[in-house]
Amino acid sequence: MATIPPPTKKILGTVVFLAGLVGAAIGVYALDVEVAIAWLVVATLSGFYLLKLRAEARGRLDRPSS
């Protein structure tokens, strides 16, 4: 299996994060709580992933030895 280069991971994570924020805004505008919460979860998880990528890039996170 081919590995994805780090810049591509960052771009993909950012796109998913922004899609989560836009989806949450649409859910709030439509007054649909389930949709808003689902998109906020997507934005939160992708934000955590972006933080993990940043920490790994700066050497502040130990990579698993597997």
Side-chain angles (χ1 to χ4, degrees):
M1 183 171 159
T3 60
I4 301 172
T8 306
K9 289 181 182 180
K10 185 176 179 183
I11 291 170
L12 184 60
T14 303
V15 168
V16 172
F17 178 74
L18 292 175
L21 291 180
V22 170
I26 291 171
V28 168
Y29 179 76
L31 298 176
D32 193 352
V33 175
E34 292 87 2
V35 170
I37 290 175
W39 282 109
L40 284 173
V41 168
V42 169
T44 301
L45 293 177
S46 62
F48 285 150
Y49 183 71
L50 287 171
L51 287 172
K52 177 183 170 267
L53 288 177
R54 181 179 176 191
E56 284 179 350
R58 294 184 177 193
R60 296 182 181 171
L61 185 65
D62 294 331
R63 293 185 181 171
S65 58
S66 54

